[in-house]
């Protein structure tokens, strides 16, 4: 996200995996994991990041910074279309679809577990070459990207207030996420044992009953 101050100051905040923005009282005292605190007469805006996977960027200029304008359209935006996804898959035709989903220049914000969730819901094996997907499969991939992005925000972050201490507490058992790391974990739809392997440099989980190579 980006904040504009006055006419020419831009502050970019990338939360990463563990970052959090919160509003505190104006007498707030920054803690160990607070990396930025902006104070006004009535409030303080605090950026905390215990694992330091996030990022702060400052730009001075009349126009928005390049690091902001280069960001790919959000998954829930109109610009993130099935046609745009299809074109991107064609350019990465030989790469495994799991690896392609982690490319932030087209799928911003989609992390490892979310990519597995998308592929499981779309019924696509993570090791399939991106160029092998048929039009109906590409549309299913696009649709599930949007579904997972929208509902991950809803069940993890909720609306208003602070984030829960356990960010996973609200994820339903009907999601792959709840079963992907369990010893002997089973597909929540078919009951078949899940499989795991490293694909595209990342540990990957899938259901062999739903996602056939």
């Amino acid at each position: 996200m980006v904040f504009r101050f006055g006419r020419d100051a831009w502050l970019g905040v990338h939360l990463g995996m563990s970052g959090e923005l919160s509003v505190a009282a104006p007498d707030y005292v920054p803690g160990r994991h607070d990396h930025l605190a902006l104070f006004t007469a009535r409030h303080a805006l605090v950026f905390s990041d215990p694992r330091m996977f996030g990022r702060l960027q400052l730009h001075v200029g009349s126009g928005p910074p390049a690091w902001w304008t280069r960001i790919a359209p959000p998954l829930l935006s109109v610009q993130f279309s099935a046609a745009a996804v299809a074109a991107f898959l064609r350019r990465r035709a030989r790469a495994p679809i799991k690896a392609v989903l982690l490319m932030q220049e087209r799928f911003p914000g989609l992390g490892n577990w979310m990519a597995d969730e998308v592929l499981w819901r779309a019924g696509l094996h993570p090791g399939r070459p991106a160029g092998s997907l048929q039009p109906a499969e590409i549309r299913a991939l696009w649709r599930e990207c949007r579904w997972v992005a929208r509902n991950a925000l809803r069940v993890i972050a909720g609306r208003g207030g602070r984030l829960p201490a356990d960010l996973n507490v609200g994820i339903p058992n009907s999601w792959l996420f709840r079963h992907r790391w369990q010893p002997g974990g089973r597909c929540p739809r078919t009951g078949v044992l899940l499989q795991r392997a490293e694909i595209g440099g990342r540990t990957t989980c899938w259901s062999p009953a739903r996602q056939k190579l």
Side-chain angles (χ1 to χ4, degrees):
M1 63 193 76
V2 67
F3 298 90
R4 187 175 186 178
F5 299 91
R7 300 179 62 181
D8 58 2
W10 306 76
L11 174 66
V13 180
H14 181 200
L15 297 180
M17 292 179 63
S18 62
E20 179 183 356
L21 274 178
S22 60
V23 177
D27 59 351
Y28 178 81
V29 178
R32 175 183 177 186
H33 300 299
D34 297 335
H35 301 283
L36 176 72
L38 298 177
F39 293 91
T40 69
R42 298 175 59 188
H43 303 100
L45 180 66
V46 182
F47 173 63
S48 303
D49 187 10
R51 300 179 68 184
M52 295 193 293
F53 289 147
R55 182 187 307 165
L56 296 169
Q57 293 174 281
L58 180 65
H59 171 76
V60 177
S62 58
W67 45 257
W68 177 253
T69 58
R70 286 198 304 261
I71 295 176
L75 302 185
L76 297 180
S77 69
V78 175
Q79 292 78 15
F80 182 77
S81 64
V85 171
F88 190 78
L89 297 190
R90 286 195 296 270
R91 295 197 297 272
R92 305 292 192 278
R94 298 176 63 183
I97 185 60
K98 168 63 183 288
V100 173
L101 281 184
L102 295 176
M103 296 179 180
Q104 298 298 293
E105 63 265 36
R106 172 46 63 195
F107 302 95
L110 201 66
N112 193 41
W113 77 262
M114 293 178 72
D116 283 355
E117 191 76 33
V118 166
L119 292 170
W120 174 71
R121 291 178 177 277
L124 299 171
H125 191 285
R128 281 185 58 182
S132 71
L133 271 62
Q134 300 302 305
E137 294 176 315
I138 294 173
R139 190 161 187 85
L141 180 73
W142 165 78
R143 183 178 62 248
E144 298 302 340
C145 281
R146 291 171 59 84
W147 191 94
V148 169
R150 181 182 299 109
N151 286 281
L153 286 172
R154 179 179 59 83
V155 301
I156 294 176
R159 294 181 180 275
R162 294 182 64 87
L163 292 173
D166 179 2
L167 293 178
N168 305 328
V169 68
I171 299 179
N173 285 330
S174 58
W175 288 37
L176 176 68
F177 179 88
R178 283 293 187 190
H179 311 271
R180 66 196 300 266
W181 299 127
Q182 291 179 357
R186 294 180 177 271
C187 172
R189 292 191 181 179
T190 68
V192 172
L193 282 171
L194 298 170
Q195 292 187 359
R196 299 175 185 83
E198 186 175 293
I199 298 178
R202 301 298 299 273
T203 301
T204 302
C205 179
W206 71 94
S207 171
R210 284 180 50 78
Q211 300 163 267
K212 301 181 185 299
L213 189 59

